[in-house]
Amino acid sequence: MNKPELLAPAGNLEKLKMALIYGADAVYMGGKSFGLRAFSDNFAEDELKQGIDFAHSLGKKAYITINIFPHNDDLSALPDYIDSIAAMGADAIIVSDLGVFRIARQVAPSLPIHISTQANSTNWSTVQFWQELGASRVVLARELSLTDIKLIRQKVAIELEAFIHGAMCMSYSGRCLISNYLTGRDANRGECAQPCRWKYHVVEESRPGVYFPVAEDERGTYFFNSKDLCLINYIPALIESGLNSFKIEGRMKSVHYVATVVKVYREAIDSYLSAPADFSVKQIWLDELQKVSHREYTTGFYFNKPTEQDQIYTSSSYIQSHDFIGLVKEYNPQTGLAVIEQRNNMKVGEEIEIMQPGAENIMQKIEQMYDAEGAPIEVAPHPQQIITMPMSKPVTPYAMLRRPERRRTSS
């Protein structure tokens, strides 16, 4: 049976490491230029090299995004950039534009090229075209149904990748002009201002300054605002479709988001492959996906054309049930103490949950905490403060501490 790659987003070096440690087979990341997430942390060139080397040390892969639609003034630095990425040992670059594809073929002919979802590959003939040009993989457009994907799989030999989880763009595979028109920030050059999430009213031409609600309620409506994609319930169908890579969206999402979502899909994929006849969706997976920052979930285009039920009209806020409060750096099995880097205010007496790679979650109460000098403390208020804490059970480095969120929603 086809074993799909689980491909995770990496907005910075820490997220890259967490994604791979929590079970991703590969990561995709962008440098400071030429990628479609200009406002994520992204990677300096030395960090790209570190990320690629870290992935390879685990026997995993790293892909670099060069998926903007460049203008003339973007091209002068591109050949040297592609050459440097090839020299670092990247496993592939992800491109959208034929001109970038051409330059990459000239500069680094042996470097594998993946075709971005931005290229709008919605049919088997387009995918076959990229195959004939020498691409090694096509990331399919998000507007495809599972039936479409199966037909493309029958027609082509090239690797196929598709998104299975994360934010959805209201425009055709992300080819959006609204941001550029309203703010001057070009979504197709990595600078999207996400105006699809803004609040809108109607203004009548002869009544400037008089705002009428479009619908829903007196606060306005978010009529471009899509729910997030989530296909955890459909792992068997996705694997049987012949997709080679399952892609998680979210280079601008948090470390907690990346680790949690990767862990859930890793467990689901492995569960199905180990015993297909006995597979069932576990409630714990569904619960975990509610704990990270997200919008309400949808299946996108996979099983039907989206309707009004797949949009959110009343708010652009995110939902999450838990806060990420600490990261385990070290654990001493003799003393039962863990060294923890604080990521959110935590207090003695709070009930917390500990999530760790490849293991079940642990519930415990914070009974004691000590500062870096060993003095007992009641609260850890400082960002990235180093503390020690007794653990009720053994934990591993990169385990994440979280607690039920004090506030129920966040923007």
Side-chain angles (χ1 to χ4, degrees):
M1 184 180 293
N2 167 59
K3 182 178 181 179
E5 169 188 87
L6 181 59
L7 177 58
N12 58 33
L13 199 55
E14 182 184 41
K15 294 174 188 177
L16 178 147
K17 291 179 178 180
M18 294 294 281
L20 295 170
I21 288 166
Y22 273 80
D25 298 303
V27 290
Y28 61 101
M29 53 183 170
K32 297 293 186 182
S33 304
F34 307 114
L36 281 178
R37 289 294 180 270
F39 301 109
S40 66
D41 293 343
N42 291 322
F43 292 71
E45 288 204 23
D46 63 320
E47 292 175 324
L48 286 175
K49 175 61 173 168
Q50 291 178 56
I52 292 167
D53 289 347
F54 184 83
H56 291 172
S57 74
L58 299 178
K60 300 184 178 186
K61 295 182 178 181
Y63 310 135
I64 312 301
T65 60
I66 310 180
N67 56 346
I68 67 166
F69 288 92
H71 292 215
N72 289 325
D73 55 3
D74 294 314
L75 296 182
S76 59
L78 187 57
D80 287 344
Y81 183 65
I82 293 173
D83 185 57
S84 67
I85 287 172
M88 292 175 196
D91 295 284
I93 56 174
I94 305 170
V95 311
S96 304
D97 180 73
L98 275 166
V100 176
F101 187 101
R102 175 179 174 273
I103 291 171
R105 271 286 170 260
Q106 293 174 338
V107 172
S110 62
L111 180 62
I113 299 178
H114 296 178
I115 305 305
S116 171
T117 190
Q118 300 293 123
N120 307 135
S121 298
T122 58
N123 62 77
W124 62 263
S125 183
T126 298
V127 176
Q128 199 165 71
F129 165 80
W130 287 115
Q131 178 180 313
E132 291 165 359
L133 279 186
S136 59
R137 178 184 294 182
V138 171
V139 188
L140 297 171
R142 303 187 202 202
E143 293 76 30
L144 294 182
S145 69
L146 196 60
T147 300
D148 293 329
I149 291 170
K150 289 178 179 178
L151 178 59
I152 293 171
R153 176 73 290 163
Q154 292 170 12
K155 295 279 190 178
V156 302
I158 195 172
E159 290 186 359
L160 300 177
E161 177 180 308
F163 283 92
I164 62 163
H165 194 94
M168 295 283 284
C169 181
M170 282 298 299
S171 192
Y172 206 76
S173 280
R175 298 285 289 271
C176 184
L177 300 177
I178 302 174
S179 176
N180 205 352
Y181 181 79
L182 293 180
T183 71
R185 286 164 44 176
D186 190 345
N188 298 306
R189 299 171 84 185
E191 300 173 348
C192 184
Q194 291 198 322
C196 54
R197 313 295 184 189
W198 296 354
K199 183 189 299 184
Y200 288 90
H201 289 73
V202 172
V203 177
E204 200 275 324
E205 182 179 14
S206 65
R207 296 177 174 86
V210 179
Y211 300 95
F212 300 94
V214 177
E216 311 313 323
D217 63 27
E218 70 280 359
R219 294 173 298 167
T221 184
Y222 304 83
F223 56 84
F224 295 132
N225 194 23
S226 173
K227 295 180 179 179
D228 284 357
L229 180 66
C230 177
L231 296 178
I232 191 63
N233 289 307
Y234 303 97
I235 293 298
L238 291 169
I239 292 176
E240 291 162 9
S241 73
L243 284 168
N244 301 96
S245 181
F246 292 176
K247 189 170 194 172
I248 297 168
E249 182 275 338
R251 277 192 284 152
M252 294 178 69
K253 298 291 182 67
S254 68
V255 171
H256 178 223
Y257 172 94
V258 171
T260 303
V261 175
V262 165
K263 184 181 180 184
V264 166
Y265 280 95
R266 176 79 280 148
E267 291 180 1
I269 292 167
D270 291 349
S271 176
Y272 177 74
L273 291 175
S274 65
D278 299 326
F279 179 81
S280 63
V281 177
K282 296 179 181 179
Q283 185 61 44
I284 190 173
W285 299 337
L286 304 176
D287 293 342
E288 285 293 295
L289 294 178
Q290 295 297 324
K291 292 175 182 177
V292 298
S293 180
H294 68 285
R295 298 179 181 89
E296 294 176 54
Y297 287 128
T298 175
T299 57
F301 290 79
Y302 273 82
F303 303 102
N304 53 262
K305 293 286 180 68
T307 69
E308 67 277 5
Q309 299 303 315
D310 297 284
Q311 312 306 130
I312 305 170
Y313 299 101
T314 57
S315 173
S316 61
S317 296
Y318 290 87
I319 306 163
Q320 69 181 60
S321 65
H322 284 64
D323 285 326
F324 168 39
I325 60 173
L327 181 68
V328 174
K329 309 295 284 185
E330 301 173 22
Y331 174 72
N332 186 327
Q334 278 73 47
T335 64
L337 290 173
V339 177
I340 296 164
E341 183 179 272
Q342 186 260 40
R343 295 302 179 91
N344 207 323
N345 183 295
M346 66 176 94
K347 301 176 181 178
V348 170
E350 289 185 313
E351 295 286 343
I352 63 170
E353 182 179 25
I354 301 155
M355 180 182 73
Q356 51 189 338
E360 293 184 357
N361 294 356
I362 299 168
M363 304 297 298
Q364 76 166 57
K365 187 175 184 179
I366 301 179
E367 301 285 359
Q368 298 168 301
M369 290 192 298
Y370 305 92
D371 65 18
E373 286 71 44
I377 55 175
E378 291 294 314
V379 60
H382 306 301
Q384 297 186 296
Q385 180 179 358
I386 299 299
I387 63 170
T388 56
M389 179 190 302
M391 309 306 290
S392 61
K393 294 181 181 179
V395 294
T396 62
Y398 299 100
M400 305 179 78
L401 279 61
R402 61 191 180 193
R403 61 150 185 265
E405 192 185 31
R406 292 171 179 166
R407 294 181 297 110
R408 301 309 300 171
T409 60
S410 62
S411 296

